[in-house]
């Protein structure tokens, strides 16, 4: 019996074109408001066609291999005409590509999603729609304005302020006044004074609360709450610019009590987190918990050294070592991966003592069921070297033997960890097991003056950042660094540096909380 799968669309369509278009809403800006489905679709895309309102942190989720087409802006600052966008979608899909059309907010709310679907349908291309969180409701929410409240209104109206001429013929202001609901105008920054005066002319009380909300859900969101009579003047004073939405109605008065987003400890900071490619940053999650807007940018890649005879040799003779010292979680990962590859059982490590440079590395070791024997007070290379040297010299004297330390780490690692061992005459083997390379050039110029701080967790992330952000004035960069060495690298380029007290992620978060207290207030 022939079975038809419901919802699979016309079989003929699917046969003719392997390609497909997903119309995806990216939400208002905050990456946390992007839907799970949208993210899943984005990660599988071959081509992404996006607008200027899509948040940077969402664009950062686009896979590197994916073709990106920015239709929000081209060189002369003019957006690509709608007809051309439609053609791009069709062309890419007909070539068999998985095309994601990524739009700010929700694709069907003043997003021209309908127009694009017409062309897509005409060409028989299969498609799906992934709704997004619209700015019309979420931007007021991030400003403490519930768009409805039973005490104040019974409806909400979303209106475009971008009409050819804002005469009564375009928008029926008297009817809007009669409904008595909350009014939300998108694309209305330029026409806001006209909107206010038309509403007053149509009989609305000039003292009706009204607000304009700029760059909502970002670290730099601003709001002006006033009334219909004074909003134009107040907004001009504050120099409110697009993108912003205008809200009219009693609910606006609640912002004074309900504002919250910018009050979070890091709610006013936009932080760029540089990290190795392919590994998520523990720092990002922590900063987001405190309300920061985070753009994660991979500036370096770490690769396991594949043909590593030295490592294989060391592992086969692991019994010859008494200590093993790790300087990064990635080193731990590579070490145990290689053990498995060589079919060497972890029980062969019996009796070996483990040292870790800091808490993240210790956790990576503990995750493998091994407790760490030594971790320095300060989490850096020199401190690890010193602590190891002290301990080993004492043990060697006591037992009248000389122990051997294995240090599996990055190929271009710092010499700091080795110096104290050399000075104390401790025997060790410095073993390169992974390589750090700066990430390839990226077409995005991620860094701009909206970034408040850049977080660096190693000197190589600084070098990677410098390679990616070539044409900027580095003296404007405020670099939050995990330790002295990283800060030293940042200072070479003239960046203003801030150094975490202890070289750990926790300590960096503490530093950001301190900086958040003084910034943007
Ligand atoms: N489809 C989008 C709206 C597109 S029209 C949505 O559902 O949100 C573009 C208008 O949306 C802008 O002119 C502005 O009025 C509003 N807008 C979008 N993002 C915004 C933001 N982060 N802050 C304030 N207004 C925003």
């Amino acid at each position: 019996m022939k079975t038809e799968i419901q919802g699979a669309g016309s079989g003929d369509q699917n046969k003719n074109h392997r390609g497909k278009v997903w119309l995806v809403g990216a939400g208002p800006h905050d990456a946390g408001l992007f839907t799970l489905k949208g993210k899943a679709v984005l990660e599988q895309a071959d081509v992404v066609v996006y607008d200027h309102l899509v948040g940077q942190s969402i664009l950062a989720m686009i896979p590197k291999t994916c073709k990106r087409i920015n239709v929000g802006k081209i060189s002369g600052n003019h957006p690509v005409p709608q007809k051309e966008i439609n053609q791009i979608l069709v062309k890419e899909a007909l070539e068999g590509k998985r095309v994601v059309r990524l739009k700010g907010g929700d694709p069907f709310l003043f997003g021209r999603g309908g127009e694009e679907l017409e062309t897509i349908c005409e060409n028989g291309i299969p498609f799906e729609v992934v709704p997004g969180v619209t700015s019309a409701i979420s931007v007021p929410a991030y400003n403490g304005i519930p768009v409805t409240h039973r005490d104040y209104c019974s409806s909400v109206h979303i209106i475009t302020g971008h009409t050819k001429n804002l005469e009564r013929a375009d928008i029926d202001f008297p009817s809007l006044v009669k409904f008595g609901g909350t009014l939300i105008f998108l694309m209305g920054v330029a026409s806001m004074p006209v909107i206010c005066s038309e509403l007053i002319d149509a009989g609305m009380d000039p003292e009706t609360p009204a607000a304009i909300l700029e760059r909502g859900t970002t670290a730099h969101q601003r709001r002006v709450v006033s009334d219909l009579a004074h909003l134009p003047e107040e907004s001009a004073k504050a120099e409110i610019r697009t993108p912003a939405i205008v809200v009219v109605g009693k609910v606006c008065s609640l912002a004074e009590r309900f504002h919250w987003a910018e009050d979070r400890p890091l709610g006013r900071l936009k932080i760029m987190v540089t990290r190795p490619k392919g590994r998520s940053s523990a720092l990002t999650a922590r900063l987001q918990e405190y309300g920061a807007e985070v753009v994660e940018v991979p500036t370096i890649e770490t690769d396991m050294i594949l043909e590593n005879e030295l490592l294989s040799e060391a592992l086969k003779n692991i019994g010859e070592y008494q200590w093993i010292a790790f300087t990064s979680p990635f080193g731990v990962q590579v070490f145990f991966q290689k053990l498995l590859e060589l079919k060497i059982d972890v029980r062969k490590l019996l009796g070996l003592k483990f040292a870790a440079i800091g808490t993240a590395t210790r956790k990576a070791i503990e995750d493998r069921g091994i407790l760490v024997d030594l971790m320095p007070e300060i989490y850096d290379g020199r401190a690890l070297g010193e602590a190891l040297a002290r301990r080993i010299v004492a043990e060697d004297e006591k037992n009248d033997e000389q122990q051997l330390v294995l240090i599996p780490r990055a190929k271009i690692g710092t010499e700091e960890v080795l110096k104290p061992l050399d000075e104390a005459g401790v025997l060790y083997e410095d073993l390169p097991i992974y390589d750090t390379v700066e990430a390839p050039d990226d077409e995005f110029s991620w860094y701009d003056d909206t970034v408040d701080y850049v977080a660096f967790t190693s000197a190589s992330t600084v070098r990677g950042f410098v390679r990616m952000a070539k044409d900027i004035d580095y003296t404007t960069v405020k670099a939050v660094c995990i330790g002295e060495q990283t800060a030293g690298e940042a200072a070479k380029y003239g960046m203003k540096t801030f150094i975490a007290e202890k070289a750990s992620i926790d300590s960096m978060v503490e530093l950001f909380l301190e900086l958040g207290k003084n910034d943007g207030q």
Side-chain angles (χ1 to χ4, degrees), residues 16 53 127 408 479 500 520:
N16 288 344
L53 275 177
F127 64 88

Side-chain angles (χ1 to χ4, degrees), residues 378-379 481-482 499-504 507-508 511:
I378 303 168
Y379 308 146
C481 304
I482 195 159
I499 308 173
E501 206 166 291
K502 272 189 154 194
S504 69
S507 187
M508 282 182 93
L511 177 54

Side-chain angles (χ1 to χ4, degrees), residues 28-29 53 104-107 109-111 133-136 139 185-188 213-218 242-245:
H29 195 102
L53 275 177
D106 180 88
L109 190 80
F110 301 132
V133 171
T134 179
S135 63
V139 170
F185 294 89
L186 300 192
M187 299 176 279
L213 314 171
E214 185 193 62
R215 287 187 280 174
T217 82
T218 73
T242 186
I245 73 170

Side-chain angles (χ1 to χ4, degrees), residues 464-514:
F465 172 80
V466 167
R467 251 197 69 183
M468 283 174 103
K470 277 188 220 81
D471 302 321
I472 63 162
D473 173 5
Y474 298 120
T475 61
T476 64
V477 177
K478 289 189 270 179
V480 172
C481 304
I482 195 159
E484 294 287 347
Q485 235 186 312
T486 307
E489 192 69 24
K492 271 192 211 161
Y493 300 93
M495 297 180 199
K496 187 169 185 326
T497 58
F498 302 84
I499 308 173
E501 206 166 291
K502 272 189 154 194
S504 69
I505 297 297
D506 282 347
S507 187
M508 282 182 93
V509 173
E510 290 294 322
L511 177 54
F512 272 118
L513 289 171
E514 222 23 68

Side-chain angles (χ1 to χ4, degrees), residues 65-77:
T65 49
C66 191
K67 178 168 162 193
R68 304 148 172 174
I69 305 176
N70 179 357
V71 292
K73 236 183 246 171
I74 47 174
S75 48
N77 243 356

Side-chain angles (χ1 to χ4, degrees), residues 369-412:
I370 297 166
L371 295 180
V372 162
D373 302 275
L374 180 140
M375 187 177 75
E377 294 261 310
I378 303 168
Y379 308 146
D380 69 16
R382 172 156 277 273
L384 174 64
E386 284 169 358
L388 258 178
R390 262 197 313 274
R391 176 82 171 263
I392 291 176
V393 166
E395 285 178 355
D396 286 0
E397 269 174 18
K398 195 166 147 227
N399 304 329
D400 196 20
E401 58 165 23
Q402 204 167 23
Q403 302 182 83
L404 179 60
V405 193
L406 181 64
I407 312 175
R409 61 191 195 119
K411 196 171 173 186
I412 7 169

